[in-house]
Amino acid sequence: MDLFATHLLVNDWIMEAGNKIRHSFGESITVDTKTSRNDLVTNVDKEIEQFLISKIREQFPTHKIMGEEGFGDELTSMDGYVWLIDPIDGTLNFVKRQEDFGIMVALYKDGVGLLGYIYDVMRDRFVYGIKDYGAYCNGRRLSKPEVHSIGDSSINVNGFMLLEANEKEAAMIRKAMVTRTYGASSIEHIQVVLGKSVAYVSTLLAPWDIAAGMVIAKELDLHYSTVDGKEVDFLVPNKKTTGVICSKDIAEEIIAAFK
Ligand code: IPD
Ligand code: CA
Ligand code: CA
Ligand code: CA
């Protein structure tokens, strides 16, 4: 596979998907709940996932796809080429705030990340990583964020963590200058790779919330693991896992809070 040719294709698909989402604000959006009153899905989530899957199937009919809204395949292994798609990450923000949501797409081969894309649709901020060729934001090559301690800046955590943190976890979070919670893992990952926050720590993530960020993290020599320091497993039961992305200098300190 020609990684650069694929990158150019994915770049176009995501830009087209972003346009579709922006245009959807002028149309009527159907909102349904999934598992609870704050777990939403819209016709736009479904349409964008179907759009991205149709593009992938057209170009790469043998590749497997894991998509949040269920239009992909049921995966039993990460062997071969596997795409992971979150058509709208931060659906609640999309519905209620019309900002702070993103599109995430990643391509893995035999469990190794090749391409990872996070598009902050309303800020038009497109962050991506290409295996062994670096990470970029709107075409500008990113350098490794300079972070030496948790206290250097803000820490991004998911809302449940703030509400339910035990003493050890809360003490770790308090070391940061301040906390930030956007309700969209796409936006939180971008904050870390751009060096705006020291870390993003979440106790509730799905494979498609993590896959793209992991590729970008690798290119920037950042740490990525579950909150208790294990390798992320995309085939985890119920698609529920945890994640921490941060500088390697502070990873151990963050993980220690969860052990
Ligand atoms: C959610 C967001 C949120 C995170 C949840 C995700 P969705 O994604 O990324 O920040 O805390 O765990 O499920 O469902 O809006 O794509
Ligand atoms: Ca969702
Ligand atoms: Ca989603
Ligand atoms: Ca998501």
Side-chain angles (χ1 to χ4, degrees):
M1 160 184 271
D2 181 337
L3 213 53
F4 284 106
T6 307
H7 162 67
L8 293 177
L9 285 173
V10 183
N11 182 102
D12 287 353
W13 301 342
I14 294 178
M15 289 306 116
E16 198 176 334
N19 277 334
K20 285 177 188 289
I21 294 175
R22 282 185 291 262
H23 282 130
S24 75
F25 289 130
E27 293 154 12
S28 79
I29 295 173
T30 314
V31 184
D32 291 312
T33 51
K34 289 166 97 178
T35 56
S36 62
R37 74 182 183 95
N38 54 10
D39 183 7
L40 308 179
V41 62
T42 72
N43 59 306
V44 187
D45 295 71
K46 293 176 188 168
E47 281 161 29
I48 296 298
E49 180 161 313
Q50 284 169 312
F51 166 76
L52 292 169
I53 289 179
S54 72
K55 293 290 183 189
I56 294 168
R57 295 242 192 263
E58 204 177 295
Q59 290 291 331
F60 309 109
T62 60
H63 291 191
K64 290 179 287 177
I65 304 170
M66 187 193 285
E68 179 181 8
E69 306 310 342
F71 298 102
D73 307 306
E74 247 342 294
L75 294 196
T76 50
S77 96
M78 288 296 289
D79 292 349
Y81 288 102
V82 176
W83 294 80
L84 295 102
I85 300 175
D86 192 340
I88 299 182
D89 172 64
T91 301
L92 199 142
N93 289 349
F94 167 67
V95 172
K96 295 292 173 189
R97 305 161 61 98
Q98 293 81 49
E99 62 185 13
D100 289 333
F101 59 85
I103 300 170
M104 293 198 279
V105 175
L107 173 63
Y108 280 66
K109 187 186 180 199
D110 298 327
V112 177
L114 300 179
L115 300 170
Y117 299 85
I118 306 179
Y119 184 37
D120 176 342
V121 176
M122 300 314 283
R123 290 185 186 84
D124 193 26
R125 196 179 257 168
F126 188 40
V127 178
Y128 54 89
I130 303 175
K131 186 179 176 345
D132 299 331
Y133 286 92
Y136 301 80
C137 178
N138 293 350
R140 177 178 58 87
R141 185 151 188 178
L142 296 173
S143 46
K144 182 179 174 174
E146 282 294 317
V147 170
H148 305 292
S149 88
I150 302 178
D152 279 357
S153 182
S154 50
I155 190 166
N156 289 37
V157 292
N158 74 323
F160 295 112
M161 266 195 66
L162 277 182
L163 295 171
E164 291 162 13
N166 64 27
E167 255 176 60
K168 234 165 115 186
E169 293 158 10
M172 180 277 290
I173 294 169
R174 279 199 205 95
K175 288 183 189 170
M177 286 179 130
V178 69
T179 60
R180 291 286 178 258
T181 300
Y182 287 81
S185 55
S186 49
I187 304 299
E188 326 254 15
H189 277 95
I190 288 179
Q191 301 259 312
V192 178
V193 303
L194 296 185
K196 294 175 190 292
S197 279
V198 297
Y200 169 48
V201 187
S202 176
T203 47
L204 187 61
L205 290 174
W208 44 80
D209 288 318
I210 287 176
M214 253 174 82
V215 177
I216 299 165
K218 182 104 193 285
E219 291 308 308
L220 293 174
D221 194 29
L222 294 173
H223 170 88
Y224 212 121
S225 71
T226 62
V227 293
D228 51 356
K230 299 196 182 87
E231 208 176 303
V232 174
D233 177 6
F234 292 145
L235 301 172
V236 73
N238 303 321
K239 311 260 184 342
K240 283 196 174 114
T241 184
T242 66
V244 49
I245 175 173
C246 64
S247 147
K248 287 181 174 166
D249 291 351
I250 63 171
E252 247 177 69
E253 212 177 334
I254 293 174
I255 291 163
F258 295 91
K259 284 190 168 164

